Amino acid sequence: MFREVKHKIGVWAMCLTMSLKSQFQYRSSFILKCFVMFITYFCEFISTFFLVSKVSDINNWSKYEIMLIYGMATVAYAMSRLLLCGINNIPRQLKSGKFLIKLIRPESDLFCTMIEEIPVDRLGQVLLGLLIIIYSCVKNFSSTSIFWLVVFLVTGTVIYSSIFIITASVSFWIINSRELLGIFTHGTLRAIVYPITIYSRILQEIFTYLVPVAFISYYPAIVILNKEGNHTVIKLVIFLVAALMWGIAKLVWKLGIKKYEGAGG
């Protein structure tokens, strides 16, 4: 298993390197694309920043603590898009029949989808998220654990990637499902950049139990910032949610592959 994981990481890293080399053939264009990606999400961040700056705290969360939540959500989302951008092409490929090509390749169909398209301009969004985290950590340095921050960025990426795969897998049953993918990915990103306690009880339960995006940024921030709560239980649940979501994602994907019978001409 570990040998297979090491192999896939090596292949993905090689594809990323090749993509970077090809992009750097047009260096100005590459830098501009990354800059545009950075500025696009920076403008969204500025609106949130000015909003929370007008108040001393929101439900006992200070401006800098909310910035940590924002940064963690941004990095997890950007890394998921970097890893799984090719998943956006699934509905179109299923409709045209081109998805069949993936089924005859030596690598797994899901992994082929991952390496099909690597949007290196997402590095601009990753950079933005990291800068926001650094900014928040400067004000909360004494209460921030770098180790757990890195761990939770990984688990957050796993959870977000799982949501990407699950929603994309719906395309095996409902071909035109790109809107659904947008709702559960970018749509949830706008919701989890704030503490979920600002929402109604039913939304809190949805973000915790049904679509567990609260475990991407909110609950990890409780541990990192040493806020009230049973941190041991929270850490355990975060790991369990990440493992469970990845397992469900792979299961739904496999069921979709079994359902797929080919199409197009």
Side-chain angles (χ1 to χ4, degrees):
M1 177 181 177
F2 291 106
R3 183 177 296 179
E4 182 182 359
V5 171
K6 182 180 178 181
H7 166 72
K8 291 187 183 302
I9 292 175
V11 173
W12 187 86
M14 181 179 65
C15 291
L16 175 63
T17 303
M18 292 172 60
S19 180
L20 284 170
K21 286 182 178 180
S22 64
Q23 292 283 344
F24 264 96
Q25 296 300 315
Y26 307 93
R27 186 169 302 178
S28 299
S29 175
F30 170 71
I31 294 174
L32 180 61
K33 286 174 66 178
C34 289
F35 178 74
V36 168
M37 182 66 69
F38 181 93
I39 290 297
T40 300
Y41 285 92
F42 179 74
C43 291
E44 292 185 2
F45 164 70
I46 285 296
S47 63
T48 301
F49 179 79
F50 283 130
L51 177 65
V52 299
S53 295
K54 296 297 182 181
V55 293
S56 58
D57 66 80
I58 299 178
N59 281 12
N60 297 319
W61 287 79
S62 71
K63 174 179 68 176
Y64 299 104
E65 291 172 340
I66 294 174
M67 291 303 99
L68 177 63
I69 294 177
Y70 195 111
M72 293 181 68
T74 299
V75 171
Y77 176 81
M79 287 300 299
S80 300
R81 291 299 302 266
L82 186 65
L83 291 168
L84 288 165
C85 185
I87 212 86
N88 289 328
N89 301 323
I90 294 298
R92 184 175 66 252
Q93 292 176 349
L94 291 174
K95 197 170 184 178
S96 66
K98 293 182 178 179
F99 184 79
L100 284 169
I101 298 174
K102 293 183 175 63
L103 301 180
I104 60 175
R105 286 176 176 168
E107 296 289 351
S108 69
D109 36 66
L110 179 58
F111 185 66
C112 286
T113 302
M114 289 178 62
I115 64 176
E116 181 179 48
E117 182 181 353
I118 301 179
V120 290
D121 56 324
R122 285 286 167 184
L123 293 173
Q125 189 180 7
V126 174
L127 175 62
L128 173 64
L130 292 175
L131 289 176
I132 295 171
I133 290 173
I134 292 171
Y135 172 75
S136 69
C137 286
V138 168
K139 300 298 181 180
N140 298 283
F141 184 78
S142 61
S143 61
T144 301
S145 168
I146 300 300
F147 171 76
W148 285 113
L149 174 63
V150 173
V151 170
F152 291 142
L153 287 177
V154 173
T155 57
T157 301
V158 171
I159 293 172
Y160 236 136
S161 297
S162 301
I163 294 173
F164 266 90
I165 295 170
I166 292 169
T167 51
S169 299
V170 175
S171 301
F172 290 109
W173 290 272
I174 306 173
I175 298 298
N176 297 316
S177 61
R178 289 181 65 91
E179 291 77 12
L180 183 67
L181 185 63
I183 291 171
F184 284 98
T185 53
H186 190 268
T188 55
L189 173 63
R190 304 312 312 149
I192 62 171
V193 295
Y194 303 101
I196 65 168
T197 51
I198 69 172
Y199 301 117
S200 64
R201 185 67 180 177
I202 187 170
L203 284 178
Q204 291 182 44
E205 292 181 354
I206 288 173
F207 293 147
T208 301
Y209 302 110
L210 185 59
V211 186
V213 288
F215 293 97
I216 294 173
S217 56
Y218 173 70
Y219 289 111
I222 290 178
V223 176
I224 293 171
L225 296 170
N226 200 30
K227 297 181 80 70
E228 288 187 14
N230 190 326
H231 293 178
T232 302
V233 173
I234 292 174
K235 291 173 186 176
L236 179 61
V237 173
I238 290 172
F239 291 133
L240 289 175
V241 169
L244 181 62
M245 287 296 292
W246 184 251
I248 292 174
K250 292 187 68 175
L251 176 62
V252 175
W253 178 268
K254 289 180 179 178
L255 291 174
I257 293 294
K258 290 182 179 179
K259 170 69 172 56
Y260 182 59
E261 296 177 350

